[in-house]
Amino acid sequence: MSLPGIPVAIRRRYGPVARIVTIACGVIIAASAYLPWAYGSDALDNVTYVGGPSFIQFIALGMGLVLPALVVCSIRWPAGFGRTRVGWIRGARALATGLLIIFVVIAGAISVQLGGTININYGAWVGLAAALIGFVATRFLVQEGAPTVNRLKTPGWLSILAIAVVMLVMLFVAYYALDQSNPGTFVTFIVYTGVGVAVLLRTGALGWLTAATGAHRRVMLLAAFLVAFLFPFTQGGSDANMSIAAQVLVFAATAMGLNIVVGLAGLLDLGYIAFLGSGAFVAAMLSGTAMATFDVHPPFIVTMLLSGCVAATLGLVIGSPTLRVSGDYLAIITLAFGEIFRLSMNNLDGSDGPDLTHGSRGISDTGDLNLFGFDFGATHTIAGIEIGRFANYYFILLIWLAIVILIFSRLNNSRIGRGWVAIREDEKAAEAMGVNVFGLKLLAFASGAFLAGVAGSIKAHVDISVTPDSYVFLQSSFLLAAVVLGGMGTVLGVLIGATLLQLMPEKLRFVNEYRLMFFGLLLVVMMRFRPEGIIASERRQLEFHDEDEELAERLDDNLGPSTGAVAVEGASR
């Protein structure tokens, strides 16, 4: 991206000067970390010291030094190193843009937390000015070709080492983000993380990492599960943080079920939260507590299956008469179904209907689980570290999420998954090729509902209570946004989207009345700059960026030149 109105000839002429200016700006940004950014210690993580950078300032220092490094790598060297310069300019531009956004966010956070821009100290102004000049200077750099980092051939041990490092970084990011009570620090850290991902994407390093994880899939899955398993041991027994983590896993597991319906089959479901709620109410009614409405108290494994089957039955009931429509009509019907479910749960109070849910009061005591003698409500000590109630539920949710991911991956790579993709791409063409469109749609609805119902049965015990007002349309919209923003049809993308959309409201309670506005702005920004989602499949990237010849060639190499036809043909066999 170049500044409008700047001819290529002028950019080529002033390119060397722009390099020098960009390098100088990066050095100044790094030096600004040793200067005070605010007059009060309540802003961010106390950025008031001279010569004593806080952690937030250390990250700015590191990014400031990376900017000159990217520019130096882009220089046409006489040796062979210059052959890999392609893509460094893209990374420098992304980093310069990110640094400008970061310092704007920092200035805004200091102003909000301390009461005005007068509380911004000179160090932040120096960093902001350098970031602005660097942003302009990088637009004069000439970019030729496309990133080649993603095509580098590396030994297997290096790929495995990179996977391990990335997983450790992800563990630290999750630990640090959850541990922040200062909202300004949390927002700034999230922006830092986003900028880092953008730089990796623009340089092609993220593509190389994706290829490495694809080549060592088992190593990646093992490392990811190990990191997630170790996360509770980094929280020092904090129930507050583990409560948020448990809710993130519930949200992620539910979003993965919706990913089958929306991401694979392309069915717009705006009432999906009803399936989660149905599973929660079934588990609550069978919990065996004083508030439970049934005297039957089966083992929890049986309760989970019953919750999933009830939710799947609701999916079949709502899907059978409605899945013959599509698009806006299907969205309206599923939206109505979600509202009907909530109103029905409110009416099952003993006066308007049988007393199954206690009406709007809900079932206020679902008790804690006790599986094979393990009490999930008690605190346990493992390796000298206290594991509290929410950490116990975190582990069982982690196991269920792993099962959901396995189910989704198997379905996605099966004949059924290819049929769903064919229906999503062109329903008429899929039907003409012999795909059982209605049957596969119904299966998508039922399977997605089953996964949500099981997640709801665990959520009922995590929350201790189940009320109808917890399952409203806004929750369905957040689930759908997690799938769309993360990347429809992907596993990692949906997990990232679900984590962000569940974590950010918890950490931004100080702007409670503006949270929906920020949510809407996030949607607009994503639809404008990355409509395929944060982590998108190559097929969906090509749909939104059909002019990208390199992406089209890579997709042809991986999937064959007639991807759509192959998917439809494979599904019809």
Side-chain angles (χ1 to χ4, degrees):
M1 182 179 68
S2 303
L3 290 177
I6 301 180
V8 176
I10 294 180
R11 285 189 281 119
R12 290 186 181 276
R13 179 178 179 182
Y14 293 102
V17 177
R19 284 196 181 95
I20 297 174
V21 173
T22 303
I23 292 174
C25 288
V27 173
I28 293 173
I29 290 172
S32 71
Y34 289 90
L35 304 177
W37 287 2
Y39 284 105
S41 59
D42 293 335
L44 302 178
D45 56 348
N46 193 0
V47 290
T48 59
Y49 292 104
V50 178
S54 68
F55 182 72
I56 289 295
Q57 290 175 307
F58 262 121
I59 301 178
L61 184 152
M63 288 189 169
L65 295 178
V66 170
L67 183 60
L70 291 173
V71 175
V72 170
C73 289
S74 69
I75 298 175
R76 190 187 295 271
W77 298 96
F81 182 78
R83 290 199 298 269
T84 62
R85 73 185 187 283
V86 186
W88 301 123
I89 295 298
R90 287 187 178 185
R93 288 179 176 176
L95 183 54
T97 304
L99 285 170
L100 179 60
I101 295 173
I102 286 169
F103 275 97
V104 170
V105 170
I106 288 171
I110 294 172
S111 300
V112 170
Q113 292 187 293
L114 297 182
T117 56
I118 193 172
N119 295 287
I120 303 175
N121 211 334
Y122 66 93
W125 291 119
V126 169
L128 179 60
L132 179 60
I133 296 172
F135 169 79
V136 176
T138 54
R139 269 56 196 173
F140 282 87
L141 299 178
V142 179
Q143 176 179 286
E144 298 177 354
T148 56
V149 177
N150 55 344
R151 295 185 176 182
L152 291 177
K153 301 298 183 181
T154 53
W157 66 267
L158 183 59
S159 300
I160 294 174
L161 179 62
I163 293 172
V165 170
V166 168
M167 291 302 165
L168 289 175
V169 170
M170 290 178 65
L171 176 62
F172 174 77
V173 168
Y175 159 74
Y176 187 83
L178 267 181
D179 199 46
Q180 296 310 305
S181 58
N182 187 301
T185 305
F186 173 78
V187 172
T188 305
F189 183 71
I190 292 299
V191 175
Y192 273 134
T193 304
V195 171
V197 173
V199 173
L200 292 176
L201 179 67
R202 297 297 288 174
T203 56
L206 193 60
W208 173 82
L209 185 62
T210 302
T213 55
H216 304 279
R217 186 176 182 84
R218 292 183 178 179
V219 174
M220 187 271 294
L221 292 175
L222 179 61
F225 187 81
L226 181 62
V227 165
F229 179 82
L230 292 176
F231 176 75
F233 296 95
T234 66
Q235 298 305 304
S238 171
D239 273 345
N241 289 345
M242 289 313 303
S243 173
I244 298 174
Q247 293 297 338
V248 167
L249 290 187
V250 171
F251 194 74
T254 310
M256 286 301 302
L258 182 59
N259 197 21
I260 294 176
V261 181
V262 178
L264 295 184
L267 304 174
L268 185 57
D269 188 349
L270 298 181
Y272 189 76
I273 195 66
F275 302 128
L276 180 70
S278 64
F281 272 108
V282 169
M285 289 186 287
L286 300 176
S287 60
T289 62
M291 295 296 295
T293 53
F294 285 99
D295 292 333
V296 181
H297 180 46
F300 183 67
I301 301 298
V302 177
T303 301
M304 288 176 62
L305 295 177
L306 286 175
S307 299
C309 291
V310 168
T313 302
L314 287 177
L316 292 174
V317 169
I318 188 62
S320 297
T322 60
L323 285 179
R324 299 190 185 277
V325 300
S326 59
D328 298 339
Y329 300 102
L330 179 61
I332 293 171
I333 293 173
T334 54
L335 172 60
F337 167 68
E339 289 301 299
I340 290 171
F341 171 81
R342 182 179 63 84
L343 295 174
S344 299
M345 296 301 102
N346 274 317
N347 290 334
L348 297 178
D349 57 357
S351 58
D352 297 324
D355 188 11
L356 298 179
T357 65
H358 301 315
S360 59
R361 294 183 293 115
I363 299 175
S364 57
D365 180 18
T366 58
D368 282 310
L369 292 178
N370 192 310
L371 288 177
F372 309 110
F374 184 86
D375 186 1
F376 281 77
T379 300
H380 303 83
T381 302
I382 301 176
I385 301 175
E386 287 191 354
I387 302 297
R389 175 181 182 274
F390 290 106
N392 296 331
Y393 283 106
Y394 172 90
F395 287 123
I396 191 173
L397 284 166
L398 182 62
I399 294 173
W400 174 241
L401 181 60
I403 294 173
V404 171
I405 292 174
L406 178 63
I407 293 173
F408 177 85
S409 301
R410 293 297 184 184
L411 286 174
N412 189 22
N413 297 323
S414 68
R415 183 183 63 181
I416 294 174
R418 292 195 296 270
W420 282 334
V421 172
I423 293 171
R424 184 192 70 195
E425 299 299 328
D426 193 326
E427 183 176 328
K428 296 298 183 183
E431 188 173 12
M433 293 295 295
V435 176
N436 185 356
V437 173
F438 179 74
L440 286 180
K441 281 185 177 182
L442 204 58
L443 179 60
F445 243 63
S447 56
F450 178 86
L451 298 179
V454 174
S457 67
I458 305 175
K459 179 178 171 61
H461 293 280
V462 174
D463 295 343
I464 302 179
S465 65
V466 181
T467 58
D469 290 339
S470 299
Y471 304 96
V472 295
F473 165 70
L474 186 61
Q475 296 298 319
S476 290
S477 64
F478 267 83
L479 284 169
L480 182 61
V483 175
V484 174
L485 293 180
M488 291 192 294
T490 64
V491 173
L492 181 59
V494 173
L495 293 179
I496 292 175
T499 302
L500 287 177
L501 291 183
Q502 186 68 20
L503 187 61
M504 292 185 70
E506 294 290 340
K507 294 297 184 178
L508 299 180
R509 291 184 179 275
F510 73 105
V511 289
N512 186 55
E513 62 273 22
Y514 298 110
R515 283 191 294 177
L516 286 180
M517 183 186 72
F518 291 146
F519 176 63
L521 288 175
L522 177 62
L523 285 175
V524 171
V525 171
M526 284 297 299
M527 293 303 101
R528 168 60 182 86
F529 295 102
R530 194 166 175 80
E532 66 271 26
I534 298 174
I535 305 293
S537 63
E538 291 181 330
R539 183 187 290 111
R540 291 197 64 81
Q541 281 183 296
L542 190 60
E543 291 176 8
F544 289 102
H545 305 283
D546 53 2
E547 74 282 357
D548 193 334
E549 295 182 0
E550 182 199 7
L551 179 62
E553 291 176 1
R554 191 165 69 248
L555 185 61
D556 286 345
D557 293 338
N558 294 341
L559 301 176
S562 303
T563 306
V566 170
V568 172
E569 182 183 357
S572 63
R573 290 177 180 173

